[in-house]
Amino acid sequence: MRFKTIQPNNPILRLEINYQRRTIPRWLQWFDRFGVIVLAVVISLILLFAPLNGDLYGSNAGLGPETLYLLVYCVWLTQLVVIIRCVIAGVNVMRHHKAWWHKDILSLSGITRKQILIGKFWSSLYQLRGWIVAFGIINLAVVALMSTDLAVYCYRSSLEDVRGEAIRGVVLSPYTAYQLQAEYCPNPRQANQYLLIIIHAVATSILGIMASTAIGLVGGLIGNQVVGLTIAFFCRFVPVVIFTIFPDYPMWSGSIIIRWYESAWFSLADGGLTGSLRSGSFWYGPDGRMMTIEPILRAFWAAIGMYIAYLVFAFFVSHILLRRQGFLSASSK
């Protein structure tokens, strides 16, 4: 469905899309629509194929701390870039027509506050449609990376064990050669569980971009552009700061880099990437057993709840700011 057909009678939506096509540089339009997807595909391929070099998939206890730390930093940096782009898009789309937003003009044209908010919001997502796809690709690549690592670990057998020859390499077999895998991977995850993880990963990717854009709309209604961006970034990164330094973790004195693994609530800091990273976790809890799907889904649910709260907050605050700034008469909807 084309974005401009979601509300075909909304003049703000049509106006914003036409304005973007006329004023945004062609190279930036291409990058927002296609370039960022190409970049996401390249990053995803690197994530998936890099462990093949050095035979890291499923070896010992998985990818290893160095590779895992690099992965965590990579996905966090990716999400930071996505948040910044979405907030800027939301602020800009709300500000560039404020000069002609007068109460009399809007009242005579019959435009309501709801139409303004929906039109601005959907036009921002129209501009960011490539980022939505790109961020979803990276999130799914992380799920595929961690899940593959777990699956190979559970079914891995060395060629030496299989053929009795000291040949370096691995094969996949329907049985487990190592006692360690047999003990900790008695029931590898089923296809329906992976499907649930994929659905939640896609949902958090889309809702995350929507929430950041909505917060940007709020910032666009406050002060000048610098003030609006500052307030929008502050609101968006409040949970990041709180749940990064929040000490209520099983090993809260440990490094921040491992907190995504210690508690599902860290998903409020990294916006659902905790769930994607946990999709291939080997151990969970003091008994060292393989992590079940429930704590993984709780991480996704925490992020989804936060994003929905952001969307509701942004709608009501933007509605109040529009009314107080006199864009529409008090009798309008």
Side-chain angles (χ1 to χ4, degrees):
M1 178 183 294
R2 295 175 63 87
F3 276 82
K4 64 181 180 180
T5 63
I6 293 175
Q7 273 201 325
N9 296 324
N10 190 326
I12 298 297
L13 179 57
R14 296 196 304 270
L15 178 66
E16 286 294 335
I17 292 178
N18 292 331
Y19 179 85
Q20 292 174 12
R21 292 172 175 173
R22 293 195 315 268
T23 60
I24 298 178
R26 291 288 183 181
W27 69 268
L28 184 56
Q29 292 188 45
W30 181 90
F31 182 78
D32 282 340
R33 189 172 183 178
F34 301 109
V36 69
I37 298 178
V38 174
L39 182 61
V41 171
V42 172
I43 294 175
S44 299
L45 291 177
I46 293 175
L47 289 177
L48 293 173
F49 286 99
L52 293 176
N53 183 22
D55 190 23
L56 295 178
Y57 273 126
S59 60
N60 297 324
L63 296 174
E66 295 81 7
T67 304
L68 190 58
Y69 288 175
L70 182 62
L71 171 65
V72 172
Y73 282 126
C74 176
V75 295
W76 284 354
L77 179 61
T78 300
Q79 186 170 59
L80 176 62
V81 173
V82 171
I83 290 174
I84 292 174
R85 181 67 186 95
C86 294
V87 170
I88 292 176
V91 171
N92 288 339
V93 80
M94 185 59 82
R95 289 199 57 81
H96 64 73
H97 281 143
K98 287 185 69 174
W100 57 263
W101 277 9
H102 297 294
K103 175 180 176 180
D104 295 337
I105 296 177
L106 295 174
S107 297
L108 291 174
S109 62
I111 298 175
T112 65
R113 287 190 293 269
K114 185 177 179 180
Q115 284 181 306
I116 290 179
L117 292 178
I118 294 178
K120 293 286 186 178
F121 180 67
W122 280 116
S123 64
S124 300
L125 295 181
Y126 177 83
Q127 181 180 353
L128 298 170
R129 59 197 184 279
W131 289 80
I132 297 175
V133 176
F135 191 48
I137 290 174
I138 292 178
N139 212 341
L140 290 178
V142 174
V143 173
L145 174 69
M146 302 300 291
S147 301
T148 301
D149 190 37
L150 175 61
V152 174
Y153 175 75
C154 290
Y155 289 103
R156 182 187 178 100
S157 298
S158 67
L159 285 177
E160 181 179 1
D161 293 325
V162 175
R163 299 172 54 184
E165 301 175 4
I167 301 176
R168 182 180 180 277
V170 297
V171 297
L172 298 183
S173 63
Y175 62 90
T176 303
Y178 301 124
Q179 180 64 31
L180 180 64
Q181 282 91 322
E183 179 181 356
Y184 291 115
C185 296
N187 296 303
R189 295 195 183 96
Q190 304 301 314
N192 61 333
Q193 294 179 330
Y194 282 119
L195 179 60
L196 280 176
I197 293 174
I198 291 173
I199 292 174
H200 284 79
V202 172
T204 53
S205 301
I206 297 174
L207 288 174
I209 289 180
M210 294 175 67
S212 298
T213 304
I215 292 298
L217 296 182
V218 176
L221 292 171
I222 302 174
N224 55 36
Q225 188 171 19
V226 175
V227 174
L229 283 172
T230 302
I231 294 176
F233 283 130
F234 175 80
C235 293
R236 178 60 186 86
F237 286 106
V238 163
V240 176
V241 175
I242 293 176
F243 287 93
T244 298
I245 64 176
F246 190 68
D248 190 17
Y249 293 99
M251 297 174 58
W252 67 270
S253 59
S255 172
I256 291 176
I257 198 65
I258 62 174
R259 290 187 177 179
W260 62 268
Y261 184 79
E262 296 169 0
S263 174
W265 294 110
F266 193 79
S267 193
L268 296 174
D270 67 5
L273 289 174
T274 291
S276 299
L277 290 167
R278 285 171 147 214
S279 61
S281 296
F282 292 97
W283 301 293
Y284 179 71
D287 59 351
R289 292 288 179 178
M290 188 175 68
M291 181 181 289
T292 60
I293 193 174
E294 287 77 13
I296 300 174
L297 296 183
R298 281 199 296 269
F300 283 122
W301 295 338
I304 290 174
M306 178 183 67
Y307 288 144
I308 293 176
Y310 263 130
L311 290 171
V312 174
F313 167 81
F315 175 80
F316 284 105
V317 172
S318 299
H319 201 276
I320 293 173
L321 291 174
L322 282 174
R323 183 178 59 187
R324 290 190 174 183
Q325 295 178 14
F327 290 150
L328 294 173
S329 63
S331 61
S332 63
K333 298 181 180 179

